[in-house]
Amino acid sequence: MRILLISTYELGRQPFGLASPAALLRTDGHHVTCADLAVDALPLEAAQSADLIAFHLAMHTATRLAVPVIERVRNMNPQAHICCYGLYAPVNADYLRSLGVRTLMGGEFEGELRRIARGSDAAPVQLISLERIPFVMPDRTGLPALSGYASLFDGQTNRVTGYTETTRGCKHLCRHCPVVPVYGGKFSVVPAEVVLADIRQQVVAGAQHITFGDPDFFNGPTHGLRIVEQMKAEFPQLSYDVTIKIEHLLQLRKLVPELKRTGCLMVTSAVESVDDAVLERLDKGHTRADFLEVVRIFRDTGLNLSPTFIPFTPWTTLQSYRELLRVLADLGMAHEVGPVQLALRLLIPGGSRLLELEEVRNLVDPFEPAALVWPWRHVDPEVDALARRLLRLVETKQKSGASRTETFAAIWAEANPIEPCPTLPAERIVAQMSEPWYCCAEPMLNEARELDALPV
């Protein structure tokens, strides 16, 4: 079978979501073409001749970007079996089917893709499969070179960056997380030998740094540390970064020095808020005090913490937003927080656990399939207006090359024009990706532009 696997956007990473299923499909003898449209153009010949065209929808932005491509390939090749897989496929099933998508799948999608390719697609394909699959080393043949993707800046040089995963899913149930509707608190482990083989092939391809894309690297801490220990032994100069919950960083604080010792340069952690009432509604499993303690642990260890936030929620006030800025200023973290993290607005996607809250159900407008969200407006229009202004400010500052500290000061002035911004520590370049860590700033920027265009 001729198969075309398509990715539209994976945070500036070489798409693991194409390489993993490509390996199994090629093992079965299928002719597989991988197309990353974030870097390359759509391969027209492959699109016109493919029997199966599958889109990897790992995030909100990727799904929005896939819509016009789905319509295009349907017109080019109406006989092809079109399917979508990944976190955002099953929760947007009705809308995607209206575009002509025949099959949708989430969870361990490799097995379902393999089944379709083998021709056993007469029975309905279940939307979500969590059955264990025989993981094999991802096949990155045909994907653009790693040097064409986002890199990690370590303060002195840009490191060519690879990407892999040690686990799938997550055992936590944060209400706003897109992983939860698909995995429901479950996670699976990718065998260590498969992960290490993938790292080896990326090192051969030029990787100097590895991003582990697990929703939480400490869902399986022993497994993850075993892998980075082996990686350190084989490639002493290879660095890496991971994502770990504040809750886990506290519970497993003794492992934080082990991360640094084995080459970790940065830990991303979804702090989301410093307001305990908001954290409780999001079911984050940590408090403001927990965040402050993790900052202390990382300072003592000398490891870079990269906190992410959702500062604009239905419960945000102008005062609470200013308090977030004050906390970060007092901690001296202006240079450690990606500026876009201070301008993001909560998205409520299909299947979100946030809809368990009556106050959220009463707040949202009807679901908008094309936007992939339950729209909401803040009760205080000034809060929404501030969020839009800050998104544009961050976009402008980024284009001008402003530093994180300069951008933080500009954000403070916009949000709190009466009170001067505290004196901030001298700018210190910390480990950071060349592409900011966020999933949905671009659709929010588009929304801001659309709202600005409306008549007053």
Side-chain angles (χ1 to χ4, degrees):
M1 178 178 280
R2 292 163 297 183
I3 302 171
L4 174 60
L5 302 179
I6 297 176
S7 170
T8 54
Y9 181 62
E10 293 195 22
L11 284 170
R13 304 160 174 162
Q14 190 186 66
F16 181 91
L18 301 190
S20 179
L24 281 173
L25 293 168
R26 286 172 178 151
T27 297
D28 287 351
H30 301 291
H31 182 276
V32 181
T33 300
C34 293
D36 182 4
L37 304 190
V39 178
D40 282 339
L42 178 70
L44 298 182
E45 184 177 346
Q48 291 166 347
S49 61
D51 304 298
L52 172 63
I53 302 175
F55 290 80
H56 183 223
L57 308 181
M59 51 191 294
H60 186 279
T61 301
T63 309
R64 292 288 296 269
L65 291 172
V67 169
V69 187
I70 291 171
E71 295 173 334
R72 185 181 180 192
V73 298
R74 258 193 82 213
N75 291 331
M76 292 170 59
N77 187 353
Q79 303 306 315
H81 182 143
I82 298 178
C83 72
C84 293
Y85 63 98
L87 293 178
Y88 274 76
V91 297
N92 294 292
D94 291 343
Y95 176 60
L96 293 169
R97 283 200 178 105
S98 75
L99 301 176
V101 177
R102 180 172 170 185
T103 306
L104 301 113
M105 60 197 79
E108 310 307 278
F109 48 77
E110 288 92 341
E112 295 296 337
L113 281 170
R114 197 178 200 184
R115 190 182 69 81
I116 293 172
R118 286 173 171 172
S120 54
D121 60 345
V125 174
Q126 63 186 89
L127 289 179
I128 297 174
S129 173
L130 300 182
E131 65 176 328
R132 296 181 63 85
I133 62 171
F135 285 106
V136 297
M137 183 182 76
D139 187 346
R140 299 175 181 274
T141 304
L143 287 171
L146 291 177
S147 58
Y149 290 92
S151 59
L152 179 127
F153 183 64
D154 62 9
Q156 296 180 325
T157 61
N158 283 301
R159 300 192 180 199
V160 176
T161 299
Y163 174 91
T164 194
E165 299 173 1
T166 71
T167 60
R168 290 269 190 87
C170 185
K171 63 184 180 183
H172 295 276
L173 297 170
C174 303
R175 280 201 175 95
H176 62 301
C177 178
V179 177
V180 174
V182 174
Y183 281 90
K186 298 179 180 179
F187 78 104
S188 60
V189 171
V190 182
E193 61 271 18
V194 172
V195 180
L196 289 165
D198 190 25
I199 291 170
R200 291 185 193 108
Q201 71 171 339
Q202 292 184 79
V203 171
V204 170
Q208 301 163 310
H209 178 90
I210 297 292
T211 290
F212 288 99
D214 314 43
D216 194 307
F217 192 71
F218 276 178
N219 271 329
T222 302
H223 175 64
L225 285 174
R226 185 182 300 120
I227 288 171
V228 295
E229 286 277 9
Q230 181 63 39
M231 187 177 77
K232 177 71 172 176
E234 290 190 42
F235 308 106
Q237 303 306 314
L238 190 64
S239 57
Y240 68 93
D241 70 277
V242 294
T243 298
I244 304 175
K245 282 174 62 71
I246 292 293
E247 178 182 357
H248 282 165
L249 292 170
L250 273 179
Q251 293 172 349
L252 301 169
R253 65 177 70 198
K254 292 182 179 179
L255 299 182
V256 174
E258 293 302 299
L259 294 173
K260 181 175 175 60
R261 182 184 62 80
T262 52
C264 185
L265 294 184
M266 177 177 70
V267 175
T268 298
S269 192
V271 179
E272 314 301 32
S273 178
V274 295
D275 184 325
D276 284 340
V278 173
L279 291 170
E280 183 176 358
R281 287 181 171 96
L282 298 180
D283 201 5
K284 281 300 300 177
H286 72 259
T287 65
R288 170 176 171 156
D290 293 336
F291 165 55
L292 298 179
E293 176 62 11
V294 166
V295 171
R296 185 194 67 76
I297 292 169
F298 272 66
R299 295 270 169 84
D300 290 346
T301 306
L303 183 57
N304 180 48
L305 179 69
S306 180
T308 65
F309 296 93
I310 306 175
F312 290 99
T313 72
W315 310 285
T316 301
T317 65
L318 295 177
Q319 181 179 355
S320 70
Y321 181 78
R322 292 165 184 159
E323 176 63 12
L324 169 63
L325 298 182
R326 186 172 292 106
V327 168
L328 295 176
D330 290 346
L331 290 171
M333 296 191 75
H335 61 286
E336 295 176 73
V337 179
V340 74
Q341 297 299 328
L342 302 176
L344 297 180
R345 190 173 184 272
L346 179 68
L347 289 184
I348 306 178
S352 175
R353 278 195 66 220
L354 284 165
L355 295 170
E356 295 173 358
L357 302 177
E358 184 178 2
E359 58 187 316
V360 171
R361 295 196 301 272
N362 292 336
L363 175 72
V364 297
D365 291 330
F367 188 75
E368 290 187 4
L372 313 176
V373 295
W374 294 86
W376 62 274
R377 302 287 177 116
H378 199 284
V379 293
D380 182 355
E382 287 300 313
V383 175
D384 280 343
L386 175 62
R388 295 196 298 273
R389 293 199 306 273
L390 292 182
L391 268 176
R392 291 193 299 273
L393 185 154
V394 169
E395 183 184 36
T396 300
K397 289 292 184 181
Q398 182 177 344
K399 290 179 178 178
S400 71
S403 70
R404 285 182 170 186
T405 300
E406 291 169 337
T407 305
F408 184 93
I411 289 172
W412 180 289
E414 186 66 41
N416 197 356
I418 297 177
E419 182 181 353
C421 181
T423 301
L424 302 173
E427 182 77 21
R428 179 172 64 86
I429 303 298
V430 297
Q432 56 189 274
M433 298 302 298
S434 60
E435 184 147 350
W437 192 103
Y438 60 93
C439 297
C440 45
E442 184 59 33
M444 283 189 278
L445 274 169
N446 291 336
E447 180 187 26
R449 296 184 187 109
E450 291 164 4
L451 290 172
D452 284 345
L454 293 176
V456 178

